[in-house]
Amino acid sequence: MNVQDILRKHQQYMLPSMITYYQEPLPFQRGEGQYLYGVDGRGYLDFFGGILTVSVGHCHPRVTERICQQVRTLQHTSTLYPHANMVNLAEKLAHIAPRGLQKSFFTNSGTEANETAIMLAKVHTDTQEVIALRHGYSGRSALSMTLTGQASWRVGGTQILGIQHAHNAYCYRCAYNRAYPDCDLECAHDVEELIQTTTSGRVAAFIAEPIQGVGGFITPPPEYFRIVVDIVRQHGGLFISDEVQTGFGRTGGKWFGIEHWGVEPDMITCAKGMANGTPMGATVARAEVADSFTGLSISTFGGNPVSCAAALATIEVIEEEKLVTNAQVVGGYLRQRLEELKEKHPLIGEVRGMGLMQGLELVREYKEPARVEILQVFEATKRRGLLIGKGGSYGNVIRIAPPLNIAEADVDEAVRILDRAFVEAEDQ
Ligand SMILES: Cc1ncc(COP(=O)(O)O)c(C=O)c1O
């Protein structure tokens, strides 16, 4: 099918809320490694990886082979029957997850993983109230939209009671007009007052992303999580680390983002990069927390043999190709190159992130969000064959998240294209 027919049918038959990038949306036909190929055959260097999902490159031969093998053998049984792939994946997660996390529940998406985690926290603590973060993103169910801290992603979704949003550590736009480290982490300490004044004094959980993804790769100072989690635990709450974007080596040097911040979560939630693009969500909990839920629960497709095979193969590739380290090393190089770009282009207000999860916040004078210019950068990078992502509550953050097995040469190519795109945007 040609581009025009795909776009016509997209417009005619899909819900308009399903947003696409670019003035003229870009349909793809094929992927290989770090490249995607359009319907017209044109190649693009993919530095967004299907929203931080393609961890080991498009159609990695090992992952593809395992999926095909499993599809030919057995595709679906439901969670009513244990399957080797499911228990092997759960065992693997228990080994690589932060200390103490042992038992898994598999679903199909990050949204469901978060739903499961919040439900477990409520059951375990026999408490209802939850603390989430401003600028966070948790998914598209009613609960996860309510947990989300950005109006644009909450349409029709704020009806769940008992959720309070704490200030995130958005140092570039500090809510208290303070500067780190002199601020004494006022945003983190405020969680005590938030709980004392807006809840019953006891909470079920605090849920947060170690680096806020959709929020624009907002990266807190190292002390932030220790302070907040300590306060939450004093009020009876569990800590859920949403690793949907930061998990599986993305942040470099560690399997999970929260491991950078010196706190041990009671649960993590995973999806996206876990299975390289095959639908998969997981909630991994401390045994004590998991065991407190003894009621009935089912996920028809959750932990199906094909998705579990894809996840196992993805994790094996990450291990064998040492991609957690590669994300740290090449991520460090990417960061250095982006800092150089910032020196050159006044449009770049801040570079932030960790590993192969790097963001550029684009601003005009006085930090006014550069919402128009970012679109120009998008069109210019597209014309030159580079795919990047967008985020931030003000729609002005470029999100860069290539597959974990890219090389420095790929970074050089991406930075060269970005450089040209910024020149074009600044000239307009
Ligand atoms: C941090 C985070 N949590 C949860 C979700 C929801 O995941 P899904 O889209 O798979 O439901 C997302 C999706 O972008 C996310 O970034």
Side-chain angles (χ1 to χ4, degrees):
M1 201 185 289
N2 66 35
V3 173
Q4 293 319 323
D5 284 346
I6 295 173
L7 299 187
R8 182 180 49 75
K9 288 192 186 189
H10 193 277
Q11 197 172 26
Q12 197 170 351
Y13 298 114
M14 310 295 293
L15 258 67
S17 63
M18 197 177 282
I19 51 150
T20 49
Y21 279 163
Y22 307 117
Q23 270 163 14
E24 175 161 329
L26 190 50
F28 289 109
Q29 191 160 42
R30 191 169 71 77
E32 192 179 332
Q34 65 275 50
Y35 294 102
L36 275 172
Y37 296 88
V39 171
D40 58 3
R42 182 158 182 228
Y44 295 81
L45 181 59
D46 185 4
F47 262 44
F48 199 37
I51 324 182
L52 295 87
T53 297
V54 183
S55 318
V56 297
H58 293 280
C59 303
H60 190 290
R62 177 126 169 219
V63 179
T64 304
E65 181 49 38
R66 286 281 278 282
I67 293 171
C68 293
Q69 207 180 20
Q70 190 57 52
V71 169
R72 280 194 293 265
T73 314
L74 178 65
Q75 207 174 340
H76 175 77
T77 55
S78 87
T79 43
L80 295 175
Y81 310 95
H83 187 276
N85 290 357
M86 182 197 281
V87 295
N88 285 338
L89 178 60
E91 182 185 35
K92 183 53 130 180
L93 290 176
H95 285 140
I96 65 173
R99 197 160 62 133
L101 303 189
Q102 189 196 329
K103 295 199 174 182
S104 289
F105 187 86
F106 296 118
T107 50
N108 312 291
S109 66
T111 298
E112 289 172 273
N114 283 338
E115 287 271 350
T116 307
I118 297 289
M119 180 197 59
L120 271 178
K122 288 182 178 178
V123 171
H124 183 73
T125 59
D126 198 18
T127 307
Q128 295 293 310
E129 286 154 295
V130 173
I131 306 295
L133 286 186
R134 298 184 191 189
H135 300 271
Y137 183 86
S138 297
R140 56 175 301 280
S141 64
L143 170 62
S144 56
M145 278 199 281
T146 314
L147 292 169
T148 292
Q150 302 174 56
S152 45
W153 297 109
R154 307 176 90 205
V155 177
T158 56
Q159 65 271 50
I160 310 274
L161 297 176
I163 295 172
Q164 308 298 339
H165 291 84
H167 281 295
N168 63 341
Y170 193 172
C171 297
Y172 187 64
R173 297 183 187 278
C174 177
Y176 299 90
N177 254 326
R178 308 275 307 267
Y180 178 80
D182 297 339
C183 61
D184 193 29
L185 277 293
E186 205 171 328
C187 55
H189 290 290
D190 182 61
V191 172
E192 175 67 37
E193 191 176 298
L194 181 81
I195 293 175
Q196 294 284 5
T197 57
T198 69
T199 75
S200 62
R202 276 183 52 76
V203 295
F206 165 54
I207 183 166
E209 304 155 75
I211 294 176
Q212 292 182 310
V214 178
F217 291 1
I218 300 170
T219 311
E223 310 90 319
Y224 179 80
F225 272 97
R226 278 201 299 271
I227 297 168
V228 176
V229 171
D230 195 37
I231 295 169
V232 168
R233 286 194 169 136
Q234 283 169 26
H235 293 274
L238 303 181
F239 170 42
I240 302 163
S241 179
D242 180 335
E243 300 278 352
V244 169
Q245 297 212 6
T246 51
F248 300 91
R250 172 59 58 190
T251 57
K254 308 275 184 199
W255 275 99
F256 294 93
I258 199 61
E259 294 174 277
H260 294 286
W261 303 142
V263 285
E264 287 177 3
D266 298 290
M267 282 183 255
I268 55 170
T269 56
C270 314
K272 291 195 190 286
M274 179 177 179
N276 211 41
T278 307
M280 165 59 77
T283 307
V284 192
R286 284 198 289 115
E288 190 194 342
V289 173
D291 290 346
S292 52
F293 184 68
T294 52
L296 299 181
S297 198
I298 195 168
S299 169
T300 303
F301 298 128
N304 79 81
V306 180
S307 292
C308 288
L312 280 164
T314 303
I315 296 169
E316 279 166 26
V317 172
I318 294 174
E319 277 177 330
E320 284 166 26
E321 296 183 11
K322 301 192 174 21
L323 299 185
V324 177
T325 305
N326 196 61
Q328 185 176 31
V329 175
V330 181
Y333 180 69
L334 169 64
R335 176 58 171 262
Q336 176 204 322
R337 298 295 326 268
L338 294 176
E339 296 283 1
E340 285 164 22
L341 272 189
K342 178 174 179 292
E343 291 307 305
K344 250 176 109 175
H345 299 287
L347 205 48
I348 304 175
E350 187 179 52
V351 184
R352 58 178 177 247
M354 291 180 98
L356 287 172
M357 182 173 184
Q358 298 288 337
L360 305 174
E361 177 150 358
L362 305 195
V363 291
R364 297 174 172 176
E365 253 188 313
Y366 307 112
K367 294 190 183 178
E368 187 196 338
R371 297 172 205 262
V372 175
E373 294 83 345
I374 196 171
L375 298 178
Q376 290 162 350
V377 173
F378 258 68
E379 294 301 329
T381 44
K382 176 192 174 193
R383 275 196 299 279
R384 292 180 154 82
L386 174 70
L387 304 176
I388 50 176
K390 187 150 99 59
S393 295
Y394 315 107
N396 67 327
V397 180
I398 291 179
R399 292 195 284 164
I400 298 175
L404 305 182
N405 47 4
I406 55 144
E408 290 185 356
D410 299 309
V411 170
D412 288 336
E413 175 64 0
V415 170
R416 190 187 62 75
I417 295 173
L418 275 169
D419 189 20
R420 299 306 311 151
F422 278 115
V423 170
E424 255 184 60
E426 280 159 356
D427 281 352
Q428 280 184 26

